[in-house]
Amino acid sequence: MVGTLEASGRQVFKFGFGESPFSPPPRVQAALQSARKRREYTAVAGLPELREKIAAFHCEIDGYPIDMGQVLVAPGTKALFYNTMQVFQDAEVYLPEPSWVSYAPQARIAGHRVFRVPTSWDEAWRVNPSLLDDIITRHGRGGRDKLMVLNCPGNPDGLTYTRSELIALSQVLREHGVWVVSDEIYGLLHHRGEHVSLASLYPERTLVITGLSKWCGAGGWRLGALILPADAPEDLRAGLLGLGSETYSCAPTPIQVAALSAYALDLELHGFLAGQRRVLSEIGNAIHLALANAGIRVHPPQGGFYLLLDFRPFADALAVRGINDDEALCGELLKATGVALLPGSAFGMDREALTARLAYVDFDGDAALEDAQDPAKDILAHAAKMLEGIEALRSWLLN
């Protein structure tokens, strides 16, 4: 419908699709250009020198020891998540509600039982350790592997866990012997640069998924990495390599070569990350303030570029208009205002909860990054169109 509206000349505010607005650093682009003739297959696990770079990079960033033997490279994180689901047999998979749209379908394709762990606005959409313990105790069965997927900073909420919160979760996970797939693809975009990896606190059973798509602005390049526990069972690693061999063979070689430049953690890259964090923090907080002033319940962002909107304060007024679920809400908003959001039910939430995800990435990221180098520059000038969209949303809600 977005394309149809645009073709008709309507103004559309694109808050639906979550793609990084930034381009990869110039040196990484140049490295890809130089590697364009590399056409050979690599080992399934990836180029050894790239795996070594990724291990050193995340060891320094996340503060726990990583060896290159723990790192597997693949064409994107979705392939890694899918194969991780496949390598376990008849498992119980525990997913926070909300969580990224692909987790549940991929777990079900792998034949696993999926259990949702409810969260609430009052607890900032974070998993409550006591509730998690209760759900695993009630649903867990002996002889089955238990997996949980955590995503922080999160999509769709833009929030994260503190160290103390992760420690409390780790105690429950350890007690039940749960394997965790920790999706940390937005970790480097924590707005204060204070991301805490779960693997630093629960190293024995945490599999970290990361990659270039978000912090490096290279979503379409499809380069993901999985960091296994140091003492992961050999059959787990062998199973993942076997599945990789039978599905994707290897990540594209030119992309792997270019990634060597991306994972060079020097002053230039630190500056690139700091610029993104400044831009996303200032724009995200301005969008949050505008939404809060419109009466929508929403937490200020902590990382990435998403906000989870709670429209329940308007439930009665929306019901008068015949809008009783999030799909109807998002559909009517798009038609009436041109504001494009994703319904919370796409992320496993109850349709009647009236939630929606907003991605604040509809701006020229490269121009904003250039301005971020000057403290005197007004970053919010780049958010003008998005703030116009929030005003259209506010006007529709209030009138």
Side-chain angles (χ1 to χ4, degrees):
M1 181 180 285
V2 170
T4 302
L5 286 175
E6 285 188 313
S8 70
R10 286 279 307 279
Q11 169 83 298
V12 176
F13 302 100
K14 298 178 182 178
F15 294 120
F17 191 54
E19 182 176 7
S20 171
F22 309 105
S23 299
R27 75 178 189 199
V28 181
Q29 297 180 43
L32 181 59
Q33 173 72 8
S34 298
R36 67 190 183 278
K37 293 185 179 180
R38 293 289 295 269
R39 58 186 180 83
E40 74 276 14
Y41 292 107
T42 73
V44 178
L47 289 170
E49 58 267 39
L50 176 58
R51 293 163 54 218
E52 187 172 10
K53 280 262 191 181
I54 292 172
F57 181 95
H58 281 284
C59 177
E60 182 171 343
I61 287 286
D62 295 320
Y64 69 98
I66 305 170
D67 181 82
M68 65 172 286
Q70 298 170 239
V71 179
L72 305 180
V73 175
T77 58
K78 276 191 176 181
L80 288 166
F81 184 86
Y82 180 76
N83 283 356
T84 300
M85 288 293 108
Q86 290 287 349
V87 83
F88 289 90
Q89 301 294 316
D90 190 26
E92 299 160 2
V93 178
Y94 297 88
L95 299 179
E97 180 186 301
S99 58
W100 169 236
V101 299
S102 293
Y103 298 155
Q106 290 199 4
R108 292 191 178 104
I109 290 171
H112 302 317
R113 294 164 176 80
V114 175
F115 301 98
R116 292 284 183 178
V117 182
T119 64
S120 68
W121 188 89
D122 290 336
E123 292 188 293
W125 313 115
R126 301 299 85 191
V127 172
N128 181 298
S130 297
L131 179 59
L132 175 62
D133 179 49
D134 179 63
I135 290 174
I136 296 176
T137 299
R138 284 190 289 113
H139 295 290
R141 296 291 182 270
R144 288 187 190 144
D145 286 312
K146 297 173 176 59
L147 286 79
M148 185 171 188
V149 184
L150 282 181
N151 174 211
C152 58
N155 179 1
D157 50 67
L159 302 173
T160 194
Y161 291 85
T162 64
R163 178 176 294 273
S164 60
E165 288 170 338
L166 288 176
I167 289 172
L169 277 177
S170 296
Q171 292 171 350
V172 174
L173 297 166
R174 188 171 284 116
E175 179 181 342
H176 291 280
V178 179
W179 289 94
V180 181
V181 181
S182 186
D183 184 349
E184 301 181 18
I185 195 70
Y186 299 96
L188 287 163
L189 295 182
H190 187 295
H191 292 174
R192 295 189 304 277
E194 298 173 359
H195 171 67
V196 179
S197 175
L198 180 66
S200 68
L201 304 169
Y202 184 49
E204 64 268 33
R205 290 206 169 195
T206 299
L207 291 75
V208 174
I209 286 184
T210 183
L212 294 184
S213 61
K214 307 304 179 183
W215 69 265
C216 196
W221 290 25
R222 310 313 300 144
L223 195 290
L226 175 66
I227 304 173
L228 292 163
D231 57 353
E234 181 53 37
D235 60 351
L236 175 59
R237 186 177 187 278
L240 288 166
L241 289 174
L243 286 165
S245 177
E246 299 301 333
T247 52
Y248 53 74
S249 296
C250 67
T253 304
I255 303 298
Q256 291 194 58
V257 174
L260 290 168
S261 179
Y263 282 105
L265 194 57
D266 53 17
L267 287 176
E268 181 181 343
L269 189 61
H270 278 298
F272 175 67
L273 293 171
Q276 290 183 86
R277 290 166 184 152
R278 179 191 170 193
V279 170
L280 292 173
S281 177
E282 292 192 23
I283 288 180
N285 280 289
I287 298 291
H288 164 262
L289 180 61
L291 289 164
N293 287 340
I296 299 168
R297 296 210 305 176
V298 57
H299 292 283
Q302 296 173 321
F305 33 73
Y306 303 110
L307 293 166
L308 186 59
L309 282 52
D310 184 346
F311 288 89
R312 278 176 292 186
F314 297 92
D316 292 341
L318 292 170
V320 170
R321 303 188 197 189
I323 298 171
N324 298 296
D325 62 59
D326 58 6
E327 291 186 4
L329 171 61
C330 291
E332 187 59 30
L333 272 173
L334 182 58
K335 287 189 294 183
T337 69
V339 170
L341 302 171
L342 281 185
S345 54
F347 303 89
M349 303 191 75
D350 190 327
R351 290 177 57 180
E352 285 72 37
L354 294 174
T355 57
R357 190 200 74 176
L358 180 150
Y360 49 93
V361 294
D362 191 9
F363 63 94
D364 185 335
D366 295 340
L369 268 186
E370 185 175 344
D371 284 350
Q373 297 175 18
D374 183 350
K377 289 285 188 177
D378 180 14
I379 298 298
L380 295 187
H382 298 279
K385 179 184 175 183
M386 292 186 289
L387 290 170
E388 181 184 346
I390 302 303
E391 176 57 28
L393 171 59
R394 186 195 69 83
S395 179
W396 182 81
L397 284 171
L398 298 182
N399 293 318

